Amino acid sequence: MDRRSFIGLVGAGAVLPSGFPGLSKAFQQTPRNPLRRAVTVSGEGLTLTARPARVDAGPGLVDAWTLNGSVPSPTIRLLQGQTARIDLVNQLPERTILHWHGLAVPQEADGHPRLAIDPGETYGYEFPVLDRPGTYWYHPHTHGVTAAQTYKGIGGLLIVEGDEEDGYELPSGEYEIPLILQDKRLGGDLSLAYGVGMPHDRMHGYLGDTAFANGVADPTVDVRRSRYRLRILNGSNARIFDLGLSNGDPLTLIGSDGGLLEAPIRAERIMLGPAERADILVDFSARQSGERVMLRSLAFEAPGMMMGMRGGRGGRGMMMGMGGPGQGSELDLLEFVVQDSPAEPGPPPPTRFSTVPDHGRITAATPRRTYTFNSSMMMGSGPTHTINGKTFELERVDERVPVRRTEVWTFVNESELPHPVHVHAGQFRVLSRTGGRARVMAWETGLKDTVLTMPGERVDVAVRFVHEGLFLLHCHNLEHEDMNMMLNFEVVA
Ligand SMILES: [Cu+2]
């Protein structure tokens, strides 16, 4: 089967409800099934039109901002080595621009906010797909409103395919489930209004009270007694997910931000900050028909949630009931319902994948840079989020980095809040973490473009860039990013 007919099949399959165990059940479940939303398109000659639309969020219609009228935005399948050609048409009432998160693309295709287009304008992207097969994504990068535009519904998965994944017999077709997991505040009137007037939201980021998968609230997925590949994106503005299954079964992690790991890893929980991805195998073949398995975010200790109380820097209401459960609270994300079907265990996961590229040998002579992340609550002016003591300026170049040179970058979190740090222009390797969790986590052993730093942690990563031009380093807590926790680095010859 060639790639294009495969794409057609996935697209058609995705709109069918999976299984009709009975009319009443199908009637109940179809609105909560997030899979019918994952429209799949090719990245060759694609037009994405940004426009407001009313979309079905499961319990009813909500006002959203969309690409091509759908939430989530279409899943784009790219082939490693191809040239992607994608036009963005802006029919929103404000400026916008898209960023291809995780891909090493030339600066004019990277969605830097200085490239944002006005309503009525079109931006043409053309870039070679250099990155490994894996699960990437795309989202708005319009400075000051990235959080709002993403929250309102713009953003989708980018799936890169290529030879490297051939021969591993990974689940595909209907057994491959792309999932954009998010939290939003779903009002009783089904409004998804976004607003960060409260100091709490501006300090911690916007936390929701309802789990969404692919734009569907409180999602449910019917599965066969078989093995599935879940391509999971934490697409939240600010919430960290510590993923685990309600039945205690371990997750088999096969890939992270930049493609496959060197070998599958079994983990009972996988912590993803905003923008991080996990490629996971889940086996339902030993489950009974009718069994329900919840994918949830397990409770974890979230330093900083007590900030307002402890340091006396904020009002008493700061952590109380603002927008649902606080960071680190347990949250049900998506329920799998095992259907009455023959058990199909399939082949065991491969014991080894190909080698993850590194960025060359690291020695004492390797050039180093340090980026220090800080958040503070100022009397009168509210929260301030800085990198190396500075806030973002659109035109100021903060660092000049030689092209094709390996460097070690250290991210130091001196604040009392988590910061997921994202670097544009290419994938990095996580070398070490000191303080806090004090180790490189299992899901950080492949290529990464975003790494979570908890308070007190120092994370060393190896970077190397192939494109010259102006790129960004920023916190991917979208409220922090919009509040200028971002800097420009220029890759120079
Ligand atoms: Cu941050």
Side-chain angles (χ1 to χ4, degrees):
M1 193 189 308
D2 68 32
R3 298 276 181 190
R4 195 162 292 273
S5 63
F6 174 66
I7 285 168
L9 253 175
V10 172
V15 298
L16 297 172
S18 50
F20 282 94
L23 187 60
S24 62
K25 199 173 172 200
F27 178 75
Q28 249 182 10
Q29 289 203 6
T30 303
R32 302 289 193 182
N33 182 344
L35 303 188
R36 66 205 166 94
R37 300 305 183 76
V39 178
T40 302
V41 298
S42 139
E44 175 65 52
L46 172 66
T47 298
L48 296 171
T49 301
R51 59 181 172 87
R54 277 180 77 70
V55 300
D56 188 354
L61 297 176
V62 298
D63 288 313
W65 282 11
T66 72
L67 295 176
N68 298 354
S70 81
V71 173
S73 302
T75 299
I76 302 175
R77 286 195 182 254
L78 300 170
L79 257 183
Q80 189 180 28
Q82 83 165 99
T83 297
R85 290 183 184 82
I86 302 170
D87 281 347
L88 168 66
V89 179
N90 185 6
Q91 292 180 3
L92 297 174
E94 66 185 32
R95 289 158 70 80
T96 196
I97 195 72
L98 292 176
H99 167 58
W100 316 101
H101 184 118
L103 298 186
V105 301
Q107 61 166 341
E108 56 281 6
D110 196 51
H112 190 284
R114 75 193 190 291
L115 306 174
I117 56 171
D118 285 325
E121 292 186 336
T122 296
Y123 194 91
Y125 293 91
E126 184 175 317
F127 57 87
V129 179
L130 304 178
D131 290 275
R132 299 170 75 212
T135 308
Y136 305 83
W137 68 301
Y138 63 105
H139 60 80
H141 220 304
T142 323
H143 191 52
V145 289
T146 291
Q149 292 187 354
T150 305
Y151 183 86
K152 289 174 183 173
I154 299 179
L157 290 177
L158 285 171
I159 294 177
V160 176
E161 298 182 325
D163 300 343
E164 195 186 319
E165 289 193 2
D166 288 353
Y168 296 132
E169 296 187 80
L170 298 172
S172 63
E174 70 168 295
Y175 300 100
E176 179 191 344
I177 302 183
L179 289 172
I180 301 176
L181 302 179
Q182 294 170 313
D183 63 325
K184 294 176 194 280
R185 298 179 194 176
L186 188 61
D189 55 351
L190 296 185
S191 66
L192 279 177
Y194 175 84
V196 285
M198 304 301 293
H200 181 274
D201 291 337
R202 293 160 56 79
M203 193 67 190
H204 296 277
Y206 202 69
L207 297 168
D209 53 21
T210 306
F212 282 71
N214 299 348
V216 175
D218 297 325
T220 293
V221 175
D222 292 347
V223 289
R224 297 169 64 86
R225 296 171 63 208
S226 188
R227 206 164 57 113
Y228 285 79
R229 177 181 190 176
L230 311 181
R231 294 179 180 266
I232 296 177
L233 161 70
N234 180 349
S236 300
N237 282 27
R239 188 175 293 280
I240 297 163
F241 294 134
D242 200 3
L243 300 175
L245 295 174
S246 57
N247 62 3
D249 275 3
L251 303 160
T252 301
L253 181 75
I254 59 169
S256 59
D257 297 356
L260 293 178
L261 306 179
E262 298 207 336
I265 290 169
R266 283 160 74 84
E268 273 172 23
R269 47 210 294 169
I270 296 172
M271 183 177 276
L272 295 184
E276 292 188 282
R277 285 87 69 202
D279 209 333
I280 291 171
L281 299 182
V282 178
D283 190 351
F284 296 105
S285 64
R287 306 268 69 85
Q288 302 303 309
S289 75
E291 206 172 323
R292 290 166 178 266
V293 180
M294 184 65 78
L295 175 69
R296 60 171 53 122
S297 183
L298 304 166
F300 64 92
E301 177 122 10
M305 287 312 284
M306 295 298 290
M307 255 182 105
M309 317 296 281
R310 210 170 42 208
R313 296 191 218 166
R316 249 192 84 74
M318 263 190 69
M319 59 160 295
M320 303 302 293
M322 302 289 185
Q327 188 76 275
S329 303
E330 183 174 291
L331 190 66
D332 285 349
L333 298 176
L334 177 136
E335 190 174 51
F336 295 102
V337 182
V338 181
Q339 300 300 291
D340 189 6
S341 66
E344 305 161 335
T351 52
R352 186 145 191 93
F353 296 120
S354 59
T355 304
V356 175
D358 62 20
H359 291 310
R361 213 159 65 88
I362 308 298
T363 68
T366 307
R368 288 167 190 263
R369 291 170 208 259
T370 298
Y371 302 92
T372 301
F373 292 74
N374 232 312
S375 294
S376 53
M377 183 69 89
M378 300 292 187
M379 279 305 242
S381 62
T384 306
H385 305 283
T386 59
I387 307 175
N388 291 346
K390 295 184 289 186
T391 50
F392 181 66
E393 282 182 24
L394 197 63
E395 305 288 347
R396 186 189 66 215
V397 177
D398 298 286
E399 304 286 330
R400 286 192 171 77
V401 184
V403 71
R404 287 183 291 279
R405 181 174 85 170
T406 299
E407 296 194 351
V408 175
W409 288 9
T410 302
F411 306 133
V412 183
N413 185 342
E414 282 191 352
S415 76
E416 296 183 64
L417 298 174
H419 298 291
V421 179
H422 173 47
V423 180
H424 286 220
Q427 297 284 320
F428 54 75
R429 289 297 300 261
V430 180
L431 301 173
S432 66
R433 173 184 280 108
T434 55
R437 291 170 290 167
R439 65 187 190 280
V440 176
M441 312 306 288
W443 50 90
E444 295 171 335
T445 55
L447 288 179
K448 294 285 291 172
D449 53 58
T450 308
V451 66
L452 187 60
T453 67
M454 287 296 195
E457 291 183 354
R458 294 173 67 95
V459 179
D460 279 359
V461 306
V463 300
R464 192 168 193 277
F465 305 105
V466 297
H467 294 295
E468 292 168 33
L470 194 65
F471 297 98
L472 297 164
L473 179 158
H474 63 88
C475 179
H476 221 287
N477 176 313
L478 295 183
E479 282 70 32
H480 294 178
E481 174 187 336
D482 276 345
M483 293 174 65
N484 295 307
M485 195 173 230
M486 180 153 72
L487 59 76
N488 279 314
F489 64 91
E490 187 178 13
V491 180
V492 296

